[in-house]
């Protein structure tokens, strides 16, 4: 998803481009990356739809949406948005953020993967925002609840935990693994809810401030202090 996101302004704002490079890149996205992402959402590699953790679906949703935007193929963007709302896998927002308190489907696994999933979903929400669609606000700001819950725990606070169970796993407590790992995903989310929308996000805002200036992580574009302080 980082490839089409980076290439989108390159294509639409102009700049030096050798020969048919843009067209060839678009074919790579449409003919190679998209079919693999689409097939996984349909089949989940032949496993139960709830077998894979939320971040698997989330990475493909933001990829499909980004490919749709770059290639100007509305059906692909719509596919990702529809799955975000009503998909059967754990990447759909009401499964990824598992309950109204904000506990994540991966909160009992470890905090690195928990942040990975919601960070990718936040990328999808920001892509949708730039298209004029509000996924950030879906289901009473469900994404924000997940971010607040996670940030509260990473800041050293206790959070409630409801036993999570599916066919593949059972978690009875929030995982302390990787609790010290704080990924560069908070500035964008804080900026959206607090500054764009006027919705309080105290723990996300506190964690963003603690990380400032936000850096880079291979799973996330990062640099949110630079990109999203408005």
């Amino acid at each position: 998803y980082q490839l089409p996101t980076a290439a989108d302004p390159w294509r639409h704002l102009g700049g030096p481009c050798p020969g048919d490079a843009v067209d060839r890149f678009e074919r790579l996205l449409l003919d190679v990356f998209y079919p693999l992402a689409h097939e996984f959402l349909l089949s989940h590699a032949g496993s139960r739809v709830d077998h894979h953790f939320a971040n698997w679906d989330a990475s493909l949703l933001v990829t499909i949406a980004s490919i749709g935007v770059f290639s100007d193929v509305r059906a692909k963007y719509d596919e990702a948005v529809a799955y975000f709302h009503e998909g059967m896998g754990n990447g759909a927002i009401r499964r990824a953020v598992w309950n109204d308190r904000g506990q994540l489907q991966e909160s009992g696994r470890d905090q690195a993967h928990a942040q990975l999933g919601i960070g990718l979903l936040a990328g999808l929400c920001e892509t949708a925002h730039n298209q004029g669609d509000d996924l950030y606000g879906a289901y009473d700001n469900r994404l924000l609840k997940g971010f607040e819950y996670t940030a509260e725990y990473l800041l050293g606070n206790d959070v409630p935990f409801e036993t999570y169970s599916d066919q593949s796993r059972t978690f009875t407590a929030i995982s302390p693994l990787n609790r010290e790992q704080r990924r560069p995903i908070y500035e964008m989310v804080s900026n959206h809810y607090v500054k764009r929308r006027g919705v309080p996000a105290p723990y996300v805002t506190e964690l963003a401030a603690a990380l400032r200036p936000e850096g880079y992580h291979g799973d996330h574009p990062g640099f949110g202090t630079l990109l999203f302080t408005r």
Side-chain angles (χ1 to χ4, degrees):
Y1 80 99
Q2 296 184 37
L3 292 174
T5 299
D8 192 59
W10 172 48
R11 165 180 246 179
H12 295 290
L13 298 181
C17 180
D20 61 349
V22 171
D23 291 337
R24 289 188 292 112
F25 179 64
E26 182 175 84
R27 294 262 59 86
L28 175 69
L29 296 176
L30 293 175
D31 296 344
V32 179
F33 282 93
Y34 171 74
L36 292 169
H38 173 73
E39 171 59 26
F40 183 86
L41 291 181
L42 292 179
S43 70
H44 285 83
S47 63
R48 287 179 54 91
V49 70
D50 65 355
H51 171 69
H52 291 84
F53 285 103
N55 74 83
W56 287 68
D57 283 357
S59 67
L60 301 177
L61 295 180
V62 67
T63 295
I64 290 172
S66 299
I67 290 172
V69 170
F70 176 81
S71 303
D72 199 21
V73 181
R74 180 77 194 208
K76 290 177 171 46
Y77 170 79
D78 288 344
E79 175 186 349
V81 170
Y83 198 103
F84 173 88
H85 285 294
E86 300 295 344
M88 297 301 294
N90 286 321
I93 186 61
R94 287 180 289 181
R95 292 183 173 85
V97 182
W98 187 62
N99 63 23
D100 286 336
R101 177 62 180 81
Q103 181 181 322
L104 306 181
Q105 190 262 343
E106 300 194 69
S107 291
R109 182 186 185 189
D110 63 68
Q111 299 312 306
H113 285 97
Q115 292 176 88
L116 172 60
I118 56 170
L120 293 167
L121 289 176
L124 173 61
C125 291
E126 184 67 16
T127 296
H129 172 81
N130 290 332
Q131 305 307 306
D133 296 322
D134 183 18
L135 300 188
Y136 276 116
Y139 310 106
D140 192 25
N141 298 321
R142 186 84 167 202
L143 182 77
L144 177 60
K145 293 177 181 179
F147 264 86
E148 280 286 280
Y149 178 92
T150 304
E152 183 177 2
Y153 184 63
L154 294 182
L155 286 165
N157 301 297
D158 293 330
V159 294
F161 189 90
E162 180 181 350
T163 295
Y164 172 84
S165 185
D166 59 35
Q167 291 285 345
S168 301
R169 60 195 67 84
T170 295
F171 297 130
T172 59
I174 192 167
S175 174
L177 293 175
N178 309 123
R179 192 175 185 179
E180 77 290 346
Q181 184 177 135
R182 299 171 172 186
R183 295 200 168 197
I185 59 175
Y186 297 97
E187 291 275 30
M188 182 177 76
V189 172
S190 175
N191 182 80
H192 175 79
Y193 286 106
V194 177
K195 295 186 178 180
R196 285 176 178 162
R197 293 273 309 282
V199 176
Y203 294 111
V204 171
T205 300
E206 182 179 347
L207 188 51
L211 295 173
R212 192 169 294 146
E214 195 173 80
Y216 172 77
H217 186 282
D219 289 325
H220 312 282
F223 300 114
T225 308
L226 173 65
L227 296 173
F228 297 102
T229 301
R230 305 178 188 174

